[in-house]
Amino acid sequence: MSEYDAEMYESYSSRVRRQVQSLRVILDSLQARGKERVWLRNQTSGELDDGKLIEGLTGERAIYKKRGEEDPEQGTPQRLPKRLRFVVDVSGSMYRFNSLDGRLRRMMEAACLVMEAFHQYDNKIKYDIVGHSGDSPEIPFVSHDAPPKNNKERLDVMKQMHAHAQYCWSGDHTLEGTDLAITRITAEEADDYFVVVLSDANLERYGIPAEAFGKALTSDPRVNAFAIFIGSLGNQADRLVKKLPSGRAYVCMDTKHLPQVLQQIFTSAMLTSK
């Protein structure tokens, strides 16, 4: 990087350095969720269990076994990585109101936090970052099969986000972007699925009801989908959270709180039986 680019990246990275370490601790603590294929024994139907022949002769009925799934034990290594897709708001309102509350800068800090914290965790979690704006419901920024490897590549991603928000058409594709993310993420088998939508909560302007957004977030029971609002005009974000399904939305107006929000998201998913 040039000296100017290095200073620019440092201005973002330095603000989330402690949060990167916090998020890495959270990633280290993630447990396997994928169910294991095992033999379910003591069944009344299925294949005859060789170990139950004597019981069968004495009249026991539960002498069969069949293939099934069971939850992994605590601490079991993940057979597959978790999949996570961040859907970031790069709409014109993010650029327009950045001078008011710093929402676009906060979005870029969040992206920097994610890219740094998830670096070299491919064995546990694979992530994508896509954007949504008036131009499109799906703007690719980071692909799980080619994540940024160094500061220069991470800065390039952040520059793309800023440029898109500055020059895109007005409009909103939050719903479409959420639907697409949930559809795309389940295309490959994974230990668990997460979709996190980062938005400025400016849905009312485009006539998008909270009920429709809530329906999109809960459209697939396999996917843990959440919204994090990082910008708000007045109390619109708080009002929106109250209207969305319980536990599916958060307000985060300071990037330093983002690891704690993500920890809540991961924890709630781990405690939810599917």
Side-chain angles (χ1 to χ4, degrees):
M1 289 191 293
S2 67
E3 183 177 348
Y4 175 78
D5 281 348
E7 290 177 358
M8 179 186 296
Y9 185 81
E10 178 65 16
S11 71
Y12 289 98
S13 179
S14 62
R15 292 175 60 87
V16 297
R17 194 156 288 142
R18 292 181 60 185
Q19 287 68 43
V20 167
Q21 297 306 315
S22 297
L23 186 49
R24 282 179 168 264
V25 171
I26 295 167
L27 294 176
D28 283 333
S29 68
L30 289 179
Q31 300 290 331
R33 280 272 286 170
K35 294 180 182 293
E36 299 291 334
R37 291 284 292 172
V38 296
W39 282 110
L40 301 177
R41 302 185 183 276
N42 302 315
Q43 305 296 305
T44 56
S45 63
E47 297 183 33
L48 182 63
D49 189 341
D50 294 339
K52 292 282 188 176
L53 293 178
I54 295 177
E55 287 85 344
L57 293 174
T58 61
E60 173 65 48
R61 297 184 60 193
I63 61 172
Y64 299 93
K65 63 182 181 179
K66 57 185 177 182
R67 279 294 188 181
E69 295 182 335
E70 66 178 18
D71 291 326
E73 295 181 3
Q74 188 81 2
T76 299
Q78 288 178 203
R79 182 174 60 88
L80 294 167
K82 299 180 187 295
R83 292 287 310 279
L84 192 150
R85 177 166 283 220
F86 286 94
V87 185
V88 300
D89 191 341
V90 286
S91 61
S93 60
M94 291 292 292
Y95 181 81
R96 188 177 311 115
F97 296 114
N98 185 56
S99 59
L100 179 68
D101 60 8
R103 62 185 64 184
L104 182 56
R105 180 178 182 88
R106 196 150 52 246
M107 179 73 72
M108 294 167 67
E109 288 175 359
C112 182
L113 165 62
V114 166
M115 290 186 288
E116 287 199 6
F118 282 61
H119 182 54
Q120 295 183 333
Y121 273 80
D122 292 359
N123 61 323
K124 297 200 73 169
I125 190 162
K126 291 186 179 294
Y127 76 99
D128 305 275
I129 301 178
V130 297
H132 66 91
S133 71
D135 284 2
S136 171
E138 187 178 52
I139 303 125
F141 290 122
V142 174
S143 173
H144 66 273
D145 55 6
K149 300 182 293 293
N150 52 51
N151 292 350
K152 181 182 185 304
E153 292 183 5
R154 287 188 277 268
L155 181 61
D156 287 343
V157 171
M158 294 156 64
K159 284 181 175 180
Q160 291 170 34
M161 290 179 178
H162 187 279
H164 186 94
Q166 183 175 1
Y167 296 111
C168 70
W169 293 97
S170 62
D172 190 279
H173 282 103
T174 302
L175 290 185
E176 296 89 339
T178 303
D179 286 335
L180 264 176
I182 290 173
T183 300
R184 302 273 198 233
I185 201 171
T186 54
E188 296 183 23
E189 189 181 2
D191 181 77
D192 213 353
Y193 301 103
F194 294 91
V195 167
V196 178
V197 182
L198 301 179
S199 171
D200 66 359
N202 195 25
L203 302 183
E204 292 179 355
R205 177 184 176 189
Y206 299 100
I208 301 173
E211 294 74 17
F213 190 30
K215 186 176 180 179
L217 291 173
T218 56
S219 60
D220 190 330
R222 296 173 296 172
V223 180
N224 306 287
F226 301 86
I228 302 177
F229 299 116
I230 63 169
S232 178
L233 294 178
N235 65 346
Q236 63 180 182
D238 292 316
R239 294 199 315 269
L240 196 50
V241 167
K242 292 177 181 177
K243 294 178 180 179
L244 290 171
S246 178
R248 292 282 184 156
Y250 301 84
V251 177
C252 184
M253 296 299 170
D254 191 326
T255 316
K256 72 180 181 182
H257 299 310
L258 191 57
Q260 286 72 37
V261 173
L262 291 174
Q263 183 177 32
Q264 287 180 268
I265 286 173
F266 289 137
T267 302
S268 66
M270 293 296 293
L271 296 176
T272 302
S273 60
K274 295 193 175 184

